[in-house]
Amino acid sequence: MIGNVLVVVGVGGMGEAIARRLGSGRPVVLADHDEVRLQAVSSAMRRQGYDVREKSVDVSDRGSVRELAAFAAGLGPVTAVAHTAGLSPAQAPAERIAAVDLVGVAHSLDEFGEVIAPGGAGVYISSIAGHIFRDAVDAATAAIFANAPAEELADVGLLSMPDVPVDLARAMTYGYAKRANQIRVQAQAPRWGDRGARVNSISPGVVATPMGWDEFEAEFAHDAYKSMVADNAAGRFGTAEDVAAAADFLLDSTKSSFVSGVDLLVDGGTLAGISTGRVSMSPAENRT
């Protein structure tokens, strides 16, 4: 099949939902570091009529991301990129979270910014954590997140916390990385615009994917996550389909041609609840 290529980096719950929603009738490139998961999703989608090609990628390695971008561009005009690859605090040590969630996103923005077709668009998955950490990132650090070479990002002082407990270091690294993603996408929007393309980020709240459940059930964050689900304005978990619907809007240039460099919260009103005190981020025993 020849047509406008959709690239989905990361085939967890959100990535698979985006691929299924946007992939009908066009070439789809699925990429992931987990080759077992990648093969399973690719095979299932092919059996359901999708034109899928899979490629293993390590987003923390620029060369690997460059190969992926070149592979996708060899199939036709790359008009949609959805980058969902990431690790949560319950899944990996701080160093690996920084390598994947921070450096990996910067690599992807750089490399796909070289091949995105005119009229195309990219969506990068950040997190509500990036908004929660907004005030923790000062102007000097924000400038580094926006402009430093990708390979230097993990050396930012905020991500070097040798005296911080392991669980807290993971959570802090994740939050800083997701705030960095929002900043980096905004900074890259003019460059993508030079190619006639757009790029935005999406910040989900608690979403019922395997990663979301890992976080929801993690002991160190369980009380806060319970409140983020039960006390948000929607009164429920988010779903991968909620995120896919937002990605569909942002990747469709007939609907969002004047939207670039922004972050879209898809959190069921969770951040609004945090700001008003309806949603509590403190342990249950400390609530009044």
Side-chain angles (χ1 to χ4, degrees), residues 43-64:
S43 177
M45 289 186 64
R46 269 194 294 269
R47 289 177 64 85
Q48 294 160 355
Y50 292 89
D51 178 24
V52 173
R53 325 291 170 86
E54 68 270 7
K55 188 166 180 60
S56 178
V57 66
D58 177 358
V59 296
S60 69
D61 182 318
R62 179 181 292 277
S64 181

Side-chain angles (χ1 to χ4, degrees), residues 72-201:
L75 300 175
V78 177
T79 57
V81 177
H83 185 108
T84 74
L87 295 168
S88 77
Q91 294 179 315
E95 294 80 7
R96 187 61 183 162
I97 292 170
V100 173
D101 294 25
L102 177 57
V103 177
V105 166
H107 284 158
S108 180
L109 282 163
D110 287 348
E111 298 304 325
F112 280 101
E114 294 293 329
V115 302
I116 191 72
V123 161
Y124 285 75
I125 301 299
S126 180
S127 169
I128 187 175
H131 290 271
I132 294 170
F133 272 69
R134 178 182 292 272
D135 293 339
V137 177
D138 61 23
T141 305
I144 294 171
F145 285 156
N147 302 310
E151 290 75 12
E152 297 178 9
L153 292 175
D155 294 330
V156 175
L158 287 171
L159 302 177
S160 178
M161 298 171 280
D163 299 323
V164 173
V166 171
D167 286 344
L168 182 57
R170 291 178 179 183
M172 291 176 68
T173 300
Y174 181 81
Y176 287 129
K178 293 304 183 178
R179 178 62 187 139
N181 296 162
Q182 297 163 358
I183 293 168
R184 192 82 173 190
V185 163
Q186 184 179 52
Q188 287 288 309
R191 174 173 168 254
W192 283 51
D194 289 341
R195 294 184 60 88
R198 301 175 299 107
V199 64
N200 296 286
S201 59

